[in-house]
Amino acid sequence: MSVRPTFFPWHAFPRPALVLPVLLMLAACQMPFGKRDTAPVRPATPTVAQGPCVVLALPASGPYAPIGGKISRGAGLARQELAADGIKIRLETVNTEAPDWLSRLSALPPECAVVGGPLQARNYAQARSAGAVDQRAFFTFLPSLEQGDEGARAWRFFPSPQDQIDALISFATNDLNIRTYGAFYPTDAYGARMTGMLEQSLAGQNMVLHKASYDPADVSSWSTAVAPLINATQAEGSSTPVPQTAFEALFLPDSWKSMDMLTTSLLYNGEDRLVLLGTTLWEQSLSGKIVPNAEKYALAVFPGAWNAARAPRALQAPGNDFWVALGYDFTRFAVNLGLNSRLSAPEITARAGRAAQMIRAMAPITWDSAGVAHQQLFIFQASPTGMTPLDLGQFQQTRAAVLQRAALRMQGLPAVDAEGNPLVPGLPPAAGQAPDQSGTVQPGATPSALPLSSTPQPSYKLRLPTRR
């Protein structure tokens, strides 16, 4: 249907001075007065709502690609969960193994202001040298940053060696009331550095560290190297060493594969009472593995940032681990951070403190006023199926039983009955003993009330395995 143009009766206006105002009024109105000369209108492009932008700087190729893939998978799980809550995010991944990765990062819009990663120190050094850390907020997946950088040029979203030390001291001191510590460490850079951090932290609490080192390449020398720490004596006519150890907890900054020989070296000197403190190196060897004779390590503990038993629902499927949790937590954290540009360091630190108040998969991370991250790590134990979160009550009970068995030995009393069963209820078997099948002593019995047995006292003078 066509519309006939309507012409305005200009002659109705007796005064020409009124014509210009009327024309201006008509130009401002969009009334159907006929076809107007206008520029062609382009079809409207549907607008896609873009939410917060999160960038991951991770290796997508090379030896660390599997780890980068796990972090990305965790980020994807977080994105799906946020989308279900009505929050759509833009997730960008830059392959740090690509030669032009910094150029690709620079090409992203400024509102992609939060970067998770990199995962390797050399990539961080590249970003620092190129000035990328001054253009976007980097929350690195590194245990440490260059001196003076943390909280000033970049931040850390990863557990540090100091976090491990703090978790171990907190557990031993606060939960077990231990005030005396020792360290038996390998003469490599890692062992020396971790032991130095422990010594410095203990000194800050007016506690002294007794220490000795060993050659990691000469296994046969370990029992001799640890002897000064144990300072064992032998009664006349006895071949059983009686330890005179001046501490209750022993730090062992070595990999789990060395634990069998380390504990054997301690037993060779008569010592089986110590709480053994490991590092997160143990987690790498224990997670999902079978541990033969796990009861041998009943007093061994180590810190970790990932506790599957406390994982949110999105991460409870088999196969998820610390790296998946890292990607999941960082993505949610980055969205909470709410950055669309690189703010000043104090402003980013303040926002990080607020953004960390969320449901998380890893151990809680906080940032102090200087922007230094602190992660409150969980404590784990070895188990037949690898590792398990510490049950503090059970651990305290086991330790009390171990100390009671040691008290029996110190008094020359047997720790087992005639059938080889431990006399102390709930006690894991010592090396060479039969498993605990029954206890013949009522709870609360003192060593002096325990009956004498004709069973020979177990000897701790063990034959060391030859080096392979």
Side-chain angles (χ1 to χ4, degrees), residues 283 287 304-312 315-316 320-323 325 361-363 378 380 387:
E283 180 180 6
S287 181
W306 159 250
N307 185 347
R310 298 190 181 187
L315 269 69
Q316 288 180 358
N320 291 328
D321 59 10
F322 163 77
W323 299 108
M362 298 191 303
F378 304 116
F380 295 88
M387 54 185 278

Side-chain angles (χ1 to χ4, degrees), residues 2-368:
S2 61
V3 178
R4 173 179 293 179
T6 302
F7 299 97
F8 203 90
W10 304 113
H11 61 274
F13 289 94
R15 286 180 290 183
L18 294 177
V19 173
L20 182 60
V22 171
L23 289 174
L24 293 174
M25 291 172 60
L26 291 176
C29 299
Q30 296 184 6
M31 297 178 64
F33 290 148
K35 186 175 180 180
R36 297 160 51 188
D37 266 344
T38 58
V41 178
R42 295 180 181 178
T45 303
T47 301
V48 179
Q50 287 288 349
C53 182
V54 180
V55 182
L56 294 175
L58 299 172
S61 56
Y64 292 95
I67 293 177
K70 287 186 175 184
I71 297 174
S72 295
R73 178 154 62 91
L77 291 173
R79 179 171 60 178
Q80 293 175 13
E81 193 174 73
L82 290 167
D85 293 335
I87 303 173
K88 295 183 178 180
I89 70 170
R90 176 180 179 179
L91 187 60
E92 298 280 352
T93 301
V94 178
N95 179 14
T96 52
E97 289 299 294
D100 62 343
W101 78 273
L102 285 171
S103 298
R104 292 174 181 268
L105 177 63
S106 179
L108 293 175
E111 57 266 27
C112 294
V114 186
V115 180
L119 186 63
Q120 296 167 270
R122 64 176 176 83
N123 294 133
Y124 175 73
Q126 292 169 351
R128 188 180 189 272
S129 177
V133 297
D134 301 315
Q135 299 168 0
R136 304 175 198 266
F138 274 69
F139 283 82
T140 70
F141 303 151
L142 295 168
S144 62
L145 296 176
E146 295 189 29
Q147 183 69 31
D149 273 18
E150 187 169 1
R153 304 189 70 177
W155 290 259
R156 184 168 48 81
F157 200 85
F158 200 83
S160 70
Q162 187 63 54
D163 292 335
Q164 300 179 50
I165 298 298
D166 291 344
L168 293 172
I169 293 177
S170 176
F171 165 70
T173 302
N174 299 333
D175 294 334
L176 303 181
N177 199 30
I178 288 176
R179 294 293 186 275
T180 52
Y181 290 82
F184 190 45
Y185 63 97
T187 54
D188 54 27
Y190 177 79
R193 182 165 64 98
M194 294 297 288
T195 300
M197 294 179 68
L198 174 64
E199 186 170 27
Q200 185 174 3
S201 296
L202 290 174
Q205 301 183 40
N206 297 316
M207 290 185 278
V208 177
L209 180 65
H210 305 266
K211 55 185 181 178
S213 62
Y214 58 91
D215 181 355
D218 187 6
V219 176
S220 63
S221 68
W222 293 4
S223 61
T224 302
V226 79
L229 280 180
I230 308 304
N231 193 28
T233 62
Q234 288 184 349
E236 187 176 351
S238 172
S239 60
T240 301
V242 179
Q244 307 296 317
T245 315
F247 50 85
E248 299 174 84
L250 180 64
F251 184 49
L252 300 171
D254 203 340
S255 61
W256 180 259
K257 67 180 182 180
S258 299
M259 274 297 290
D260 182 59
M261 278 305 306
L262 288 170
T263 53
T264 299
S265 298
L266 292 170
L267 289 173
Y268 186 85
N269 287 275
E271 184 56 87
D272 66 344
R273 305 165 298 169
L274 301 175
V275 175
L276 304 179
L277 307 175
T279 70
T280 54
L281 282 180
W282 293 8
E283 180 180 6
Q284 298 172 19
S285 299
L286 287 173
S287 181
K289 305 294 178 58
I290 300 298
V291 181
N293 302 319
E295 66 277 358
K296 177 181 177 181
Y297 310 107
L299 296 185
V301 300
F302 61 96
W306 159 250
N307 185 347
R310 298 190 181 187
R313 183 177 302 175
L315 269 69
Q316 288 180 358
N320 291 328
D321 59 10
F322 163 77
W323 299 108
V324 178
L326 176 63
Y328 176 88
D329 274 5
F330 175 75
T331 302
R332 293 174 58 86
F333 165 79
V335 171
N336 286 349
L337 204 58
L339 288 179
N340 54 20
S341 64
R342 173 60 154 88
L343 302 179
S344 68
E347 289 174 312
I348 293 174
T349 295
R351 288 203 182 199
R354 295 190 294 268
Q357 306 301 314
M358 63 180 193
I359 297 175
R360 56 179 65 85
M362 298 191 303
I365 300 179
T366 58
W367 286 266
D368 61 25

